[in-house]
Amino acid sequence: MMKKVVSAMEVAKLADVSQSTVSRVFTPGASVSEKTRKKVLEAAERLNYYPNALARGLITKKTNIVGLAMKDIQNPFYHEVLGLFTKKLREKGYFVLFVYTENEEIQQEEINHFLEYNVEAIIVTDALLSSKLVEQLRKNDIPVILFNRYEKSLQCNSVSSDNVYAARKIADYVYQTGYKDIVFITGKTNTSTSRDRQKGFTEFLKGKGIHVNILEGNYTYEKSFCLTKQMLEDGYKPEVIFGANDITALGAMDALKEKNIRIPEETAVIGFDDIRMSSWPNYALSTWVQPVEEMVDEVINILISSDKRDKQKAIKLKGQFIHRKTTILQKG
């Protein structure tokens, strides 16, 4: 037996209002009196009515669906980001169509998924996107907003941390503390986040006459753990390790602990992001706090602005360094 689909017209008849009034009640931000809203909602509840968002989108040409493409769902940072976007977009009356991309670069079939649902915009976090696909989306009047990274060649709106500034501030702390034997474990070298963090960190210290040893990581716990363990087994114990993100720093920490290296007395460790795990007592990681909530808010501001398709903005926010138990304020 097929489930009976209740129409907006039936709700309007029971509530003694027009069909357009019913539509306004179920449209976030639409103007309607509280008395009328209550009457319509009571009628909808009695009839077990739920608005069909896709059908409404065909009529209004506005689906209120935002695409979100993400690759590294294992990284707690992006898990937290997904939760924030879902919560804050819902508050603005939007729904999230989430696509997990298994490849480094978003594929055509994944873009087709967004096109099928006529999303109003696409937010891309750590996945790569070709200029050809961006142009295809632009022709379909779908803007792309990059989160936590930027790519000048794509001419997209972007919101990220000022990673060069942040890394310079961390390098200044390292210099002021007196460290000379320093390791930086990179993230993925094809990302603006890792490039900028390495640039800000190494260039500041180079200007002070200090060399930084670079280990090529990939933003994962496993790679960082193995790199740090191998480094220690090779007989090299640095004074400080800066990981390109918190997961990288946590991997380095656990390798140091396995080799009974005291943190921070023998080797200090610094991360980047301030994921929840970083504040756990077993880690208490010193890290750079990304203003994630503010970054998400800026993306949503771009999303709802009327000129998001005409102007390309590259917004960079500052954040701050937080000392926990893996660093000392002064060496010695």
Side-chain angles (χ1 to χ4, degrees), residues 156-321:
C156 295
N157 288 300
S158 66
V159 177
S160 63
S161 283
D162 189 335
N163 290 293
V164 172
Y165 167 85
R168 286 181 63 85
K169 296 295 284 186
I170 292 170
D172 186 40
Y173 159 77
V174 166
Y175 174 72
Q176 295 296 336
T177 309
Y179 294 125
K180 296 288 194 298
D181 205 348
I182 304 162
V183 165
F184 174 68
I185 304 179
T186 74
K188 294 175 182 175
T189 54
N190 61 351
T191 62
S192 62
T193 53
S194 185
R195 289 196 304 266
D196 284 357
R197 289 168 196 176
Q198 181 173 337
K199 173 185 171 70
F201 190 68
T202 58
E203 287 188 357
F204 179 92
L205 290 167
K206 183 179 179 181
K208 302 295 183 181
I210 300 172
H211 173 72
V212 176
N213 296 296
I214 306 295
L215 298 181
E216 288 198 12
N218 61 359
Y219 279 141
T220 66
Y221 173 95
E222 293 80 7
K223 183 68 179 288
S224 178
F225 179 89
C226 292
L227 285 171
T228 305
K229 184 177 179 180
Q230 188 61 56
M231 174 182 68
L232 295 170
E233 289 175 350
D234 290 341
Y236 176 42
K237 183 179 69 176
E239 295 175 302
V240 60
I241 297 173
F242 172 33
N245 69 353
D246 282 349
I247 290 296
T248 297
L250 298 183
M253 279 186 71
D254 283 345
L256 290 167
K257 289 176 181 178
E258 185 177 284
K259 295 297 182 180
N260 297 313
I261 306 298
R262 291 175 300 134
I263 305 169
E265 293 83 3
E266 294 181 84
T267 300
V269 182
I270 301 169
F272 200 111
D273 282 341
D274 194 34
I275 59 175
R276 290 188 183 95
M277 198 184 304
S278 298
S279 64
W280 290 1
N282 283 350
Y283 288 115
L285 175 69
S286 298
T287 186
W288 187 267
V289 181
Q290 289 213 71
V292 180
E293 191 157 347
E294 190 180 348
M295 289 163 65
V296 169
D297 286 339
E298 287 290 354
V299 169
I300 294 174
N301 287 340
I302 292 172
L303 175 68
I304 62 180
S305 68
S306 58
D307 63 353
K308 60 179 175 288
R309 292 170 173 80
D310 304 320
K311 297 179 181 178
Q312 272 71 54
K313 298 178 181 177
I315 298 171
K316 295 184 180 182
L317 304 175
K318 291 288 194 274
Q320 62 181 344
F321 186 42

Side-chain angles (χ1 to χ4, degrees), residues 38-80:
K38 183 179 178 182
K39 189 163 60 169
V40 169
L41 291 176
E42 285 175 351
E45 186 176 359
R46 282 181 60 185
L47 294 171
N48 199 28
Y49 167 79
Y50 298 95
N52 187 320
L54 292 177
R56 185 173 64 231
L58 292 173
I59 299 169
T60 63
K61 306 299 183 183
K62 185 175 174 62
T63 62
N64 278 32
I65 299 174
V66 176
L68 180 59
M70 185 177 292
K71 174 173 171 48
D72 194 3
I73 56 174
Q74 293 184 348
N75 184 342
F77 175 76
Y78 285 110
H79 188 267
E80 293 171 17

